[in-house]
Amino acid sequence: MCSHLEAVCWREAPEFTSRAMELLARAKRAFDSIPRFAKTGLPFIAFVIGGSFFLKEFAELRYEFRKSTSLDPRELEAAGLQKRDPSETTIEAVYEEIKNLDTDNWENIRGPRMHEEGGLDTLETIKKKAAARRKEQEEAARKKILDA
Amino acid sequence: MSHWNSMYFQNANSPIMEQLLFFHDHSMIVISSIISFLLINLLSMMYLNSVNLNLNENQTLELIWTLMPMLLLIFIALPSLRLLYLMEETFSPNLTMKIIGHQWYWSYEYSDFNCSFDSFMENSKEKFRLIETDNKIYIPMNTFTRLLITSADVIHSWTIQSMGVKTDAIPGRLNQINLYPSRPGMFYGQCSEICGANHSFMPICLKISNMNNFINFIKSL
C-alpha cells in the first residue's frame, strides 16, 4: 500500500539521521571549543551596552516633554531684556560683590514696634533710610562706571 | 499659607518639601510604632504577674534587642541624610536672585537682569496681617532658581515654609539655596531669626507665575 515516496523515505531515513546527528555533533564540538568568555561574557556586555541604547529611546521622552521651563534667550531678547552671562551670577561672583558690604556700621532702631503708638513712624524711618541707602549705592555704582 | 486651625504642614510646593513631608510621615510611623510597643510592654508588665525569676541569660533576646534599635536608626538616618544632601544640591540654576536682609526689610536683586528693589511690610487692613509686602518677588514656575542670601546688619532668616526653604542671612557670608516651585500662586514667609524689635514685621511675599508674567514683571522694574 506504500507509495513510492514513502518507500524512498524509509530507505533513506537512517542515513539522513546519522548525517544530521554528525552535523549536530560537529556544531556542538565547535561550540564547546569557543572560550567561555565569548559564550557568556560577550553576550552579556552586548546586552548591557545595547540595552542602554534601547532604553535611551524611552529616557529621551522625559527630556523632550519635561515640565521645567528655562529662560529662553530669544524670548528675553524679544522682550528687550539682556540676561547676564551665567558666570557672572555664580555664588563666587556674587560674593565678590557683597564682600565689601559694610556690615559693621549699622544703627539699631529700638522701636516703637509697629503695633505700639508711633510704630508707623518707625516704618517710615526705615523706608527713608532704605531710600537713602539705595541712592548711595546707585551713586557709588555710577562713580565706578565713570572711573572705569 | 498657613490657616487658622491647621494641624499639619502647609501643602508642599516644591519637590524638596514633598520629600520632607514624606520623611516626616515615615519618621512618625517609626516613632509611633516604638511608643506603642513600649506602652503595651509597660502596661503588660504592670498588670501581669507572670515574671520569670529564673531568667538569667538569653543570648538570642540580647541579640534582638541590640539589632532592632540599630536597624530602626538606620531606617531613619538614611532617608534623612539623603534629603539633607539633596537640599544642598545645585541643579544648574536658570535664574539667580540675591537677597539681603536689613533691619527690618528685605532687599531683592535679580542678578541676571541687574534690577533690584526693597520689600517692606504692607500695613493695610484689607490685606493679610503681617505677611503682605508692598513689593512682591516673582519667580517663574518649574524653573530652577538659585537664591543667594546675606545680611547687611544682623542675622535674619529667609523662609518660605511651603517650599521647604529656610536659610539664615548672615552678615559677611553668602548662603545658597535652590528653589523649584511646582505650582503657581502666592506664597508667604516671615523672618525666622530674631533680629530686633521689629523682627515680626519683615514678611516675605513670593508670587509664582508663568514665564510670560515673569518677563513682564522684569520689564516693569
Side-chain angles (χ1 to χ4, degrees):
Chain A
M1 296 292 282
C2 296
S3 68
H4 177 67
L5 189 67
E6 228 172 320
V8 169
C9 278
W10 278 111
R11 201 175 57 236
E12 300 286 333
E15 199 186 335
F16 176 77
T17 317
S18 67
R19 225 181 295 157
M21 289 305 286
E22 200 181 310
L23 212 69
L24 278 174
R26 214 183 295 162
K28 189 181 179 302
R29 273 197 302 277
F31 183 72
D32 286 345
S33 66
I34 299 171
R36 210 169 153 218
F37 173 73
K39 271 193 296 191
T40 53
L42 282 180
F44 177 70
I45 292 170
F47 177 73
V48 171
I49 295 172
S52 69
F53 283 103
F54 174 72
L55 288 176
K56 190 184 132 231
E57 302 298 319
F58 299 96
E60 258 178 6
L61 286 174
R62 64 192 292 246
Y63 293 104
E64 203 175 325
F65 298 103
R66 65 177 175 183
K67 261 168 59 187
S68 55
T69 54
S70 54
L71 293 167
D72 184 12
R74 278 167 300 178
E75 214 175 315
L76 291 173
E77 216 167 276
L81 291 171
Q82 185 96 39
K83 191 172 181 276
R84 274 167 83 183
D85 189 69
S87 63
E88 290 174 36
T89 54
T90 57
I91 187 165
E92 291 83 9
V94 174
Y95 181 72
E96 289 300 316
E97 286 174 23
I98 67 119
K99 73 176 181 187
N100 298 322
L101 210 66
D102 182 16
T103 52
D104 293 323
N105 302 310
W106 51 274
E107 190 199 343
N108 191 10
I109 309 162
R110 296 201 173 272
R113 294 178 188 181
M114 298 295 180
H115 54 271
E116 289 168 352
E117 205 176 317
L120 290 178
D121 297 339
T122 313
L123 185 64
E124 286 311 310
T125 316
I126 297 168
K127 279 187 181 178
K128 268 182 205 158
K129 281 190 172 212
R133 188 192 184 101
R134 191 153 282 277
K135 208 173 168 188
E136 225 171 77
Q137 277 174 353
E138 276 166 15
E139 262 169 35
R142 204 175 298 134
K143 202 178 163 198
K144 206 175 162 187
I145 292 168
L146 284 174
D147 288 347
Chain B
M1 62 188 282
S2 71
H3 293 269
W4 178 247
N5 266 356
S6 33
M7 300 287 282
Y8 193 61
F9 293 98
Q10 295 178 28
N11 288 342
N13 188 38
S14 70
I16 285 288
M17 190 59 199
E18 274 171 24
Q19 293 294 313
L20 283 170
L21 293 186
F22 291 148
F23 176 64
H24 168 267
D25 297 348
H26 163 80
S27 316
M28 284 309 285
I29 289 168
V30 176
I31 293 164
S32 347
S33 318
I34 295 171
I35 290 174
S36 322
F37 175 75
L38 289 179
L39 264 178
I40 292 165
N41 270 285
L42 209 70
L43 290 174
S44 68
M45 278 163 79
M46 278 167 71
Y47 291 107
L48 295 177
N49 294 322
S50 55
V51 178
N52 189 350
L53 291 174
N54 299 319
L55 182 68
N56 290 324
E57 66 164 326
N58 190 333
Q59 294 289 339
T60 321
L61 188 66
E62 280 188 26
L63 190 75
I64 290 170
W65 77 38
T66 310
L67 286 179
M68 277 299 282
M70 197 184 83
L71 285 174
L72 282 175
L73 284 177
I74 288 174
F75 277 126
I76 297 176
L78 283 184
S80 158
L81 283 172
R82 174 186 154 271
L83 249 178
L84 198 67
Y85 285 101
L86 204 63
M87 285 168 82
E88 298 291 314
E89 192 61 52
T90 312
F91 302 99
S92 52
N94 228 265
L95 184 73
T96 304
M97 209 158 115
K98 190 165 89 186
I99 300 169
I100 304 175
H102 298 270
Q103 271 188 330
W104 293 279
Y105 62 96
W106 293 100
S107 286
Y108 298 101
E109 184 187 302
Y110 288 92
S111 305
D112 294 294
F113 304 101
N114 270 333
C115 45
S116 60
F117 57 88
D118 296 326
S119 177
F120 299 92
M121 189 183 77
E122 185 96 275
N123 193 42
S124 161
K125 286 199 172 155
E126 287 88 48
K127 302 282 174 70
F128 290 122
R129 189 173 167 266
L130 302 184
I131 51 170
E132 288 275 4
T133 58
D134 53 355
N135 292 320
K136 294 163 180 62
I137 352 161
Y138 269 78
I139 284 182
M141 192 175 60
N142 291 330
T143 305
F144 287 105
T145 306
R146 167 173 43 205
L147 304 178
L148 299 169
I149 301 167
T150 188
S151 166
D153 36 53
V154 294
I155 302 179
H156 303 273
S157 185
W158 198 87
T159 315
I160 298 278
Q161 291 94 326
S162 58
M163 290 195 203
V165 174
K166 180 176 278 182
T167 308
D168 279 2
I170 301 167
R173 197 189 150 102
L174 196 62
N175 284 334
Q176 176 175 260
I177 195 92
N178 287 287
L179 213 61
Y180 185 81
S182 40
R183 60 198 164 97
M186 279 290 273
F187 300 92
Y188 299 97
Q190 284 176 308
C191 178
S192 299
E193 181 70 47
I194 307 259
C195 58
N198 285 341
H199 154 69
S200 318
F201 311 117
M202 46 182 301
I204 297 148
C205 239
L206 174 62
K207 215 170 190 176
I208 308 290
S209 192
N210 62 18
M211 192 55 86
N212 281 343
N213 285 351
F214 171 75
I215 289 175
N216 287 338
F217 168 73
I218 293 290
K219 269 169 78 178
S220 72
L221 282 175

